[in-house]
Amino acid sequence: MSAPVLSPTNDAITRAADLLRSGGLVAVPTETVYGLAANAANAEAIARLYAAKGRPRFNPLIAHVASLEMAQAQGAFSRQALELVEAFWPGPLTLVVDVSEHGTVSDLARAGLPSLALRMPDHPVAQSLLSEFGGPLVAPSANPSGKISPTHAEHVATDMGDRVDLILDGGTCTAGLESTIIDARGDRPALLRPGSLDPAEIERVWPGLIRPEANPDAPQSPGQMLRHYAPNAKLRLHAATPDEGEAFLGFGPGEATLNLSTSADLAEAAANLFRMLRELDQRYDRIAVAPIPSHGLGEAINDRLTRAAKTA
Ligand code: AMP
Ligand code: MG
């Protein structure tokens, strides 16, 4: 069944916020493109979101906020980062900062990274929804992975109507291009993704912008950019049973130190993945991981596990 497409009346915003509270997915217009919103603090909702988009990887997601206060509850802003906020929020500028100790954004939304991407959208519908919901929402573009980003509610209805719970129709998105992403953790700002805010504008407020190398695998800003979740422990993948001294991260029925999903549910496993890896990493030097099927969300789970295994 296709999700209802509603004008953003007060009633529709209330209904959307309720759906988000119960783990649902809501398509919402922003000034860049239509986003697929989910409660950033709810790992199960985030797993559903990745499944709905059919993303083959758990890319970290941008958490959208209604206020600077909401942003500062989640991440640590340097003086220069605050100057960028002052100059460009609300607007198409995403700032990557260190996650704060009491932050609520789920590990899965951050793909296990100790950093967090935050943005305050400049769109009345996105702002109303965020205020009504009262917490950060992730909202990657509301299109299936590999398709182009939607700038009209009808695009979302056509491509994703059967995978979302509600579509808020706010007309055409004006920017059409994604937000500019700046790593604001160091002494100098680093451009992680060009987008609809011109980097020259950033330079005016905080000079010394570091631009990405032609080689996407080169470190983008020395010592700063963690490319993916990297445990200290050594991971051994596709393990049927643990060896002596290894922790066992299970999947499906059977004994395990921790189990991603005893019922072999991939969405549950995705929701638990980073939290459980982190827990085992704190207690063990070696972790054996049970085989995970590679269909559906399993592809993204295996992608992250493979990368995490290579770094040890
Ligand atoms: P979008 O596709 O517009 O939702 O943007 C998601 C992109 O934001 C990711 O692919 C990353 O490039 C970037 N991003 C999100 N969170 C982080 C983070 N914690 N650290 C670095 N980059 C991030
Ligand atoms: Mg996109």
Side-chain angles (χ1 to χ4, degrees):
M1 209 186 69
S2 203
V5 180
L6 302 181
S7 292
T9 59
N10 288 345
D11 281 355
I13 297 284
T14 306
R15 184 164 154 195
D18 284 343
L19 279 167
L20 290 167
R21 277 182 208 109
S22 56
L25 304 178
V26 173
V28 59
T30 76
E31 78 278 33
T32 58
V33 299
Y34 272 78
L36 185 54
N39 179 358
N42 180 336
E44 284 79 19
I46 309 291
R48 276 191 69 204
L49 188 154
Y50 282 115
K53 279 187 64 86
R55 273 199 180 175
R57 280 185 193 167
F58 296 136
N59 294 329
L61 303 172
I62 297 169
H64 294 69
V65 293
S67 64
L68 176 57
E69 194 190 350
M70 199 185 273
Q72 287 185 298
Q74 301 297 331
F77 288 73
S78 65
R79 183 178 54 78
Q80 288 99 330
L82 286 174
E83 282 170 15
L84 292 181
V85 164
E86 175 74 20
F88 303 113
W89 278 13
L93 171 65
T94 295
L95 295 176
V96 172
V97 297
D98 287 317
V99 69
S100 88
E101 206 184 321
H102 305 292
T104 55
V105 174
S106 73
D107 282 317
L108 183 58
R110 290 184 285 105
L113 298 176
S115 58
L116 174 63
L118 287 158
R119 168 169 119 78
M120 187 192 296
D122 185 15
H123 192 287
V125 178
Q127 286 183 353
S128 309
L129 183 62
L130 282 162
S131 303
E132 177 69 25
F133 179 70
L137 296 171
V138 295
S141 56
N143 52 279
S145 185
K147 289 212 170 190
I148 74 165
S149 299
T151 50
H152 293 276
E154 307 92 84
H155 297 170
V156 183
T158 307
D159 286 349
M160 302 285 281
D162 56 345
R163 300 179 228 177
V164 308
D165 299 301
L166 179 67
I167 298 169
L168 291 170
D169 186 354
T172 306
C173 299
T174 49
L177 194 65
E178 269 101 354
S179 62
T180 300
I181 304 180
I182 298 290
D183 187 340
R185 287 175 294 169
D187 299 335
R188 293 166 63 188
L191 181 66
L192 297 183
R193 179 179 77 186
S196 61
L197 178 68
D198 183 347
E201 295 280 318
I202 306 284
E203 292 252 42
R204 236 170 266 160
V205 175
W206 186 4
L209 187 69
I210 299 165
R211 289 170 186 269
E213 308 288 322
N215 172 5
D217 286 329
Q220 290 176 333
S221 122
Q224 281 195 340
M225 186 55 189
L226 236 189
R227 305 287 300 174
H228 55 81
Y229 172 77
N232 294 314
K234 193 156 183 51
L235 295 195
R236 187 167 65 86
L237 307 183
H238 313 294
T241 51
D243 291 340
E244 187 72 33
E246 278 182 335
F248 188 53
L249 183 58
F251 179 82
E255 281 226 358
T257 319
L258 289 176
N259 202 316
L260 289 168
S261 170
T262 48
S263 60
D265 173 355
L266 287 165
E268 187 185 11
N272 285 331
L273 179 66
F274 293 108
R275 180 177 57 78
M276 290 187 171
L277 279 174
R278 202 160 34 99
E279 251 179 76
L280 293 179
D281 192 22
Q282 280 163 4
R283 291 159 45 202
Y284 296 86
D285 297 327
R286 292 181 298 136
I287 305 168
V289 185
I292 316 275
S294 55
H295 59 85
L297 282 174
E299 189 181 355
I301 295 173
N302 280 307
D303 171 72
R304 286 295 141 174
L305 283 171
T306 305
R307 286 159 194 270
K310 276 190 190 135
T311 50

